[in-house]
Amino acid sequence: TFNKQATITVLGASGDLATKKTFPALFGLYAQGHLPEKVRIFGYARTDLTDEAFRERLSSKFELVGPNTKEKAEEFKKLCHYVQGPYDKAEGFAGLNKAIEKVEKEMVASGEVPNRLFYLALPPVVFGSVCGQLKAECYLGDGKGHTRVIIEKPFGRDLETSRELQKQIAPLFTEAEIYRIDHYLGKEMVKNLLIFRFANLPMTSWWSNQYVKTVQITFKEPFGTEGRGGYFDGIGIIRDVMQNHLCQVLSLVAMERPLSFDPEDIRDEKVRVLKAVRPIEHRNVILGQYGPNEEGKPGYLDDASIKSKDSKTPTYAAIALEIRNERWDGVPFILKAGKALNDSKVEIRIQLRPVARGIFHDITPNEVVLRVQPNETIYMKVNTKYPGLSTQTVATDLDFTYHRRFTNLVIPQAYESLILDCLKGDHSNFVRDDELDEAWKIFTPLLEDIDAGKLPVEVYPYGSRGPESVSKFVQKLGYVIPKNENYIWTN
Ligand code: BG6
């Protein structure tokens, strides 16, 4: 139904998320011919804007590469309209409803039912009231088309606040109408996890504690919280990227084979593995906050947007999780995430147990690395005979770099991929209510202790590898640092 006709309304249309992510993704889908045949797009926000000013603003971050994109951008802008209104009053939403109904009359042929998608690019404080107003004023009732609602983190700041939010929303929209976005689930490599794991016999056979020694899921960003301190302080790196993005990746790496590709079968397995995660012990946690470096880069506390100058908010965390099930008992899953580090990358690194001792001494353990970004790659570290007359053993890589293997490769933006899934009604890559609950259950006790100042926070210099103690920490957990890390990245 949504592939024929729909209206898409972005609430919070003049904000950062909408301008940087939502509208460029909608335009990307339009330019590639993936939006419904008949579509109109509405922006709703408090700011007073004309349609013209709104169209200029929403297109400011469009990527205009490829043939005819400028013309396409002009066409796309003509499909967009702006409605100004508050987030907590019925008049605003009644006005929005009228505007939508007007275009629906033009768009929908007689006998067809209209469909509506609402994308909440809004701060969570208004989620509840906006959902209430949408249900009261803009919801398509029985016998009419579908209404779908996309919401985005933060879904609360702990288990309790997440449940409160859920309590507000659940009576208004069914779980089938709600799409909780975690944009990591739209990334190409993350979407590949189910295929790579379950469609290859070798992977299925060694993907367990029988062969795997450690799993690391790493997120590194080379910049700090510059300018975003107001949002970040008091939130910290765990709420920002771990409880959601990295925990989602973990569930896909660790889950059992789903019964089918049905979204509920997949999400059932994700929930099941999250339930097996043990409470986090303090000894399995390292926290850090970046300080200034010698080249003059400012520390976290130097940022004008950080109000509390003795803030202990972590900008780095390394946490080892234990999954107590038959497959993973004994294998630490180490999540590491940090801002203002020496690198920009996200990867999953699975190190295998050493081969039997005897004929080899000290050889590099096998590793499979799935690099999520930049430059999607899967490589496996293997040992081989150095070619020639010697019998020397050398570590090398079996390398599957996407852009070398696939010609004319176009990797969609995560938001494009997810909005398209939502238009198709596919929930596989969206977070279910019980999944969110389990993710919060894992991290909430630790977050409470961190907020109460019970854990030390190490300072690391801007642009470094993070807190110094991390290297020893991962080695203590069983990770063997390869002697000749010789994989050459191509960007
Ligand atoms: C967001 C976080 O959810 O994800 C940001 O709030 C972070 O702090 C971003 O920078 C990372 O996303 P990506 O797609 O750039 O890896």
Side-chain angles (χ1 to χ4, degrees):
T1 52
F2 272 74
N3 58 3
K4 286 245 164 61
Q5 50 76 16
T7 59
I8 302 173
T9 304
V10 181
L11 298 116
S14 55
D16 228 36
L17 175 66
T19 315
K20 287 194 185 139
K21 300 287 184 192
T22 321
F23 286 118
L26 287 170
F27 170 61
L29 289 174
Y30 176 78
Q32 296 166 68
H34 289 306
L35 284 191
E37 273 167 40
K38 292 182 210 162
V39 69
R40 290 296 185 84
I41 293 162
F42 289 87
Y44 183 92
R46 288 178 302 197
T47 318
D48 199 7
L49 287 176
T50 60
D51 268 1
E52 222 20 70
F54 169 60
R55 288 171 181 160
E56 283 322 304
R57 187 184 285 212
L58 73 85
S59 59
S60 63
K61 297 276 186 251
F62 284 5
E63 261 191 57
L64 297 177
V65 286
N68 305 327
T69 33
K70 275 204 178 123
E71 290 80 356
K72 287 238 178 326
E74 289 312 309
E75 277 169 36
F76 177 82
K77 275 155 63 176
K78 289 200 187 107
L79 301 173
C80 299
H81 311 273
Y82 185 72
V83 179
Q84 186 258 333
Y87 292 129
D88 54 351
K89 297 208 177 65
E91 311 93 81
F93 289 83
L96 174 63
N97 187 52
K98 251 198 204 140
I100 298 176
E101 272 178 351
K102 191 166 160 240
V103 304
E104 278 172 350
K105 278 210 186 95
E106 297 161 16
M107 256 174 34
V108 177
S110 60
E112 264 180 31
V113 286
N115 297 300
R116 295 180 179 183
L117 168 61
F118 295 97
Y119 191 119
L120 273 60
L122 290 167
V125 279
V126 297
F127 276 0
S129 79
V130 168
C131 284
Q133 297 295 348
L134 284 177
K135 181 67 189 274
E137 303 297 332
C138 306
Y139 186 76
L140 292 164
D142 282 346
K144 305 228 178 90
H146 296 285
T147 304
R148 292 181 186 150
V149 182
I150 297 183
I151 51 177
E152 174 133 20
K153 68 142 214 200
F155 305 117
R157 51 175 290 115
D158 52 23
L159 184 60
E160 194 187 331
T161 47
S162 163
R163 283 183 175 170
E164 270 166 25
L165 191 65
Q166 186 49 25
K167 248 194 223 153
Q168 284 181 309
I169 299 174
L172 304 169
F173 299 104
T174 63
E175 192 55 25
E177 290 170 328
I178 300 174
Y179 291 76
R180 286 179 205 83
I181 265 198
D182 183 309
H183 79 285
Y184 266 59
L185 293 177
K187 294 194 185 262
E188 188 63 35
M189 183 61 79
V190 178
K191 281 192 142 178
N192 187 20
L193 277 166
L194 287 188
I195 317 275
F196 183 71
R197 280 192 59 191
F198 296 115
N200 295 303
L201 195 60
M203 301 305 146
T204 59
S205 48
W206 63 255
W207 208 272
S208 77
N209 54 6
Q210 276 189 40
Y211 293 94
V212 174
K213 184 109 183 280
T214 58
V215 178
Q216 294 180 70
I217 303 174
T218 307
F219 166 102
K220 286 180 141 195
E221 267 182 354
F223 44 84
T225 55
E226 293 94 342
R228 277 179 91 217
Y231 152 78
F232 194 88
D233 205 42
I235 294 261
I237 194 75
I238 298 174
R239 290 186 181 92
D240 190 39
V241 301
M242 241 184 212
Q243 176 272 344
N244 36 54
H245 307 329
L246 298 196
C247 189
Q248 283 296 326
V249 174
L250 172 136
S251 65
L252 289 165
V253 171
M255 70 189 262
E256 295 299 312
R257 176 185 290 266
L259 288 174
S260 76
F261 274 121
D262 182 275
E264 300 322 318
D265 284 342
I266 295 171
R267 300 193 298 178
D268 284 348
E269 292 304 337
K270 286 170 74 191
V271 171
R272 218 138 71 112
V273 77
L274 291 180
K275 281 187 176 163
V277 175
R278 301 292 304 148
I280 301 168
E281 294 178 31
H282 288 194
R283 66 183 168 91
N284 283 334
V285 180
I286 290 186
L287 301 176
Q289 186 187 79
Y290 66 89
N293 71 5
E294 281 171 3
E295 284 91 60
K297 280 284 192 188
Y300 178 74
L301 299 177
D302 302 323
D303 190 323
S305 60
I306 308 292
K307 297 287 172 271
S308 116
K309 290 299 165 197
D310 55 358
S311 168
K312 290 272 184 290
T313 299
T315 59
Y316 182 100
I319 301 180
L321 297 178
E322 291 175 65
I323 302 176
R324 286 281 169 85
N325 63 14
E326 195 173 13
R327 183 184 292 275
W328 293 119
D329 197 8
V331 179
F333 276 71
I334 310 164
L335 306 187
K336 295 186 293 182
K339 300 224 168 232
L341 297 179
N342 61 337
D343 212 344
S344 166
K345 75 170 174 188
V346 176
E347 67 172 31
I348 303 155
R349 184 174 291 261
I350 302 170
Q351 189 171 71
L352 304 193
R353 296 183 176 284
V355 292
R357 282 172 299 179
I359 55 175
F360 299 112
H361 303 280
D362 230 15
I363 61 168
T364 305
N366 297 120
E367 267 183 17
V368 173
V369 182
L370 298 99
R371 196 161 74 237
V372 176
Q373 64 190 37
N375 189 15
E376 293 76 359
T377 303
I378 302 176
Y379 63 93
M380 177 160 191
K381 285 192 192 174
V382 293
N383 295 296
T384 192
K385 175 186 164 307
Y386 192 82
L389 293 176
S390 83
T391 49
Q392 199 191 335
T393 306
V394 67
T396 184
D397 304 282
L398 302 177
D399 173 7
F400 164 35
T401 298
Y402 280 31
H403 82 85
R404 282 204 213 112
R405 179 62 56 178
F406 299 110
T407 44
N408 302 326
L409 179 69
V410 179
I411 299 216
Q413 295 295 319
Y415 280 91
E416 290 175 357
S417 161
L418 292 173
I419 293 173
L420 187 60
D421 281 350
C422 172
L423 289 167
K424 290 180 180 159
D426 182 350
H427 271 92
S428 315
N429 296 305
F430 292 87
V431 183
R432 203 167 65 186
D433 50 357
D434 51 346
E435 209 180 334
L436 179 63
D437 213 65
E438 290 307 327
W440 275 122
K441 272 189 208 160
I442 295 170
F443 291 96
T444 296
L446 173 68
L447 286 165
E448 281 168 357
D449 289 348
I450 294 173
D451 292 347
K454 290 188 189 161
L455 282 94
V457 180
E458 273 178 58
V459 175
Y460 60 94
Y462 195 117
S464 66
R465 294 171 63 93
E468 244 179 56
S469 52
V470 174
S471 173
K472 272 209 183 104
F473 172 71
V474 293
Q475 288 179 76
K476 217 170 133 197
L477 288 161
Y479 182 68
V480 177
I481 294 185
K483 268 191 291 300
N484 41 356
E485 170 69 283
N486 56 358
Y487 184 73
I488 313 282
W489 284 27
T490 51
N491 262 319

